[in-house]
Amino acid sequence: TITTLSATDNDAYREVTSAHRWSYAGDAGRIDTVASYVTGTIVYDHTGGTNEREVTLTSGTWPTWAAFGVIVIANVSYQVATRVSSSVITLSANSNPGADVASGTSYTLYRDTYPLRADFLSMGSMVESSNQNNPVFVHLNEWIERQRYSKSPATPRVFCITSDPNYMNTMAIRLHPPPDAIYHYDYGYQRRFRPLMFEDVNAGTVTATSGS
């Protein structure tokens, strides 16, 4: 039987593990970004099509990561909901143009949000592997302001940390400007101690030999 500790014991455990930056809890992580995508043009069908809020690519192939991306149409950013096929994606119900967009419209697709480790607690600096670019941490409000005024992909200069919009109970890094190419970011972080459990075996009986 695998048994978790009592609430009192878990409170004590959390107090001990959070009282100091234990070296044991230190770990390293890496984020590999993807390049932005602008091949071809699009047409957007808001409703009544095969899929609701459907964006069809007239040439090219939507990247495999498109479902985690953001598409910019007429300088407005919209969150992608699903990648239906190599030529069709759908947009979020809460983030879309609200009306059809004509065929032949240009666009930019990028990914600026990347999940952190599931046990992530806190981190320090982030370093690009080639040492060409080391983004600095900013508050979420500043990231939003930067994203509002500049949506063009480029070399990321800043990052913030938020909850991940795609994975429950997971944190994420958000970069700005959105990456225009593949970058490799290494970072050190403090990981969360996992909850303590113990194994209790008490079924049946045992025998023992004296002196063994």
Side-chain angles (χ1 to χ4, degrees), residues 4 13 16 30 38 42 60 105 111 115 136-137 170 188 193 197 203:
T4 58
Y13 175 62
V16 170
R30 166 170 281 197
V38 295
I42 61 163
T105 299
R111 183 177 183 180
V136 297
F137 174 79
T170 301
F193 282 82
M197 296 183 293

Side-chain angles (χ1 to χ4, degrees), residues 2 46 58 86 136 152 159 168 179 186-187:
I2 304 298
H46 186 63
T58 56
S86 61
V136 297
S152 299
F159 71 94
M168 187 176 295
D186 296 308
Y187 63 91

